[in-house]
Amino acid sequence: MLKVRKSEDRGVANFGWLDSKHTFSFGHYHDPAHMGVGPLRVINEDRVSAGRGFDAHGHRDMEIISYVLDGALEHKDSMGNGSVLRYGDVQRMSAGQGVVHSEFNHSKTEPVHFLQIWIQPDRVGEPGGYEEKHFDAAEKTGRLRLVASPDGRDGSVSMRQDASLYAAILNGEDRVSFPLQAGRIAYVHVARGGLNVNGVALKAGDAVRIDAEEQVVLDGAQDAEVLLFDLPQ
């Protein structure tokens, strides 16, 4: 069973310096039909103008993953972490008992484009945590590359949830499949380009929930970059 979420149906927040598209309910955008999938609670596609960003603000009990598509994202937090993330970097911040952080466009001339993902943890009240890894384009080309997992296997960042996140860059004759275990949900988000997911054509910003299927098949890609979530129900 497939349930498509079209790019143009997402929630919108535009403050001039920030152009954000919300796959699920977030902030002032609320739609009871789109509250998340399993523990996946947020996929925000953010474009932030040069030199602008999110001032220090707090979170707790959430696994927050940033996936940079273009530009440079500067991060600082109350745990003492500070870094500049660029394309290929994946950051995981566990808010745990509470953390304050800021996110700014590091560039004074170019925008930054990134996905911010929130996953509810399987336990609360834990200490905060932070991790980042870099994944070259070659690691994701023509295949699903694990970038986040419960145990940090295969060099992925770790998170406090029985969920896994894969990234792939696909084009032309590329075809990849992912076996979907019984009782699990797959969620595919198209970051750029276009492709078919189990025969359904999707474009940048589109997503699809897949359950009660034996596998997820990605093919027919045109300069596509996609994220695939393997989630508990």
Side-chain angles (χ1 to χ4, degrees):
M1 182 170 63
L2 279 68
K3 184 177 181 181
V4 174
R5 175 71 157 145
K6 301 298 289 183
S7 174
E8 57 269 25
D9 295 333
R10 293 179 294 175
V12 175
N14 195 315
F15 302 103
W17 63 270
L18 169 67
D19 179 10
S20 185
K21 304 294 192 299
H22 305 331
T23 297
F24 306 116
S25 295
F26 184 88
H28 296 295
Y29 168 66
H30 181 76
D31 183 346
H34 298 283
M35 298 298 295
V37 174
L40 175 60
R41 184 62 187 80
V42 168
I43 303 177
N44 287 352
E45 181 181 6
D46 291 342
R47 289 178 170 87
V48 179
S49 298
R52 301 298 298 271
F54 304 91
D55 290 324
H57 57 285
H59 299 287
R60 64 180 301 120
D61 293 324
M62 192 66 69
E63 302 294 286
I64 300 173
I65 297 172
S66 295
Y67 187 97
V68 179
L69 292 165
D70 292 294
L73 180 67
E74 183 173 359
H75 168 92
K76 294 181 181 179
D77 65 46
S78 57
M79 296 179 288
N81 301 297
S83 64
V84 177
L85 306 170
R86 293 180 170 84
Y87 177 66
D89 292 334
V90 175
Q91 175 201 76
R92 183 269 304 159
M93 185 180 72
S94 296
Q97 297 169 349
V99 66
V100 175
H101 77 134
S102 64
E103 295 166 298
F104 274 83
N105 185 343
H106 183 69
S107 172
K108 302 303 180 185
T109 58
E110 301 295 330
V112 63
H113 179 200
F114 68 103
L115 299 175
Q116 185 166 106
I117 298 156
W118 292 11
I119 295 177
Q120 293 173 321
D122 57 13
R123 53 195 185 276
V124 298
E126 297 284 327
Y130 181 89
E131 188 179 13
E132 64 181 67
K133 297 284 182 70
H134 181 80
F135 302 91
D136 291 333
E139 298 181 66
K140 299 177 282 188
T141 299
R143 63 186 289 258
L144 288 165
R145 173 60 164 103
L146 183 68
V147 299
S149 66
D151 52 8
R153 66 187 184 278
D154 297 335
S156 61
V157 300
S158 59
M159 58 178 163
R160 297 165 178 163
Q161 180 55 262
D162 180 22
S164 297
L165 171 58
Y166 298 82
I169 298 171
L170 305 172
N171 194 33
E173 298 299 316
D174 291 335
R175 184 182 189 275
V176 297
S177 61
F178 180 82
L180 188 57
Q181 302 298 319
R184 304 286 292 184
I185 305 167
Y187 196 80
V188 177
H189 178 88
V190 184
R192 52 178 145 220
L195 80 166
N196 299 325
V197 179
N198 287 25
V200 176
L202 301 178
K203 64 183 184 304
D206 291 348
V208 59
R209 170 182 173 149
I210 305 133
D211 51 16
E213 301 278 344
E214 292 185 357
Q215 62 180 346
V216 180
V217 177
L218 310 177
D219 61 11
Q222 297 179 342
D223 297 319
E225 184 161 1
V226 300
L227 298 182
L228 185 153
F229 298 84
D230 175 24
L231 303 163
Q233 290 186 350

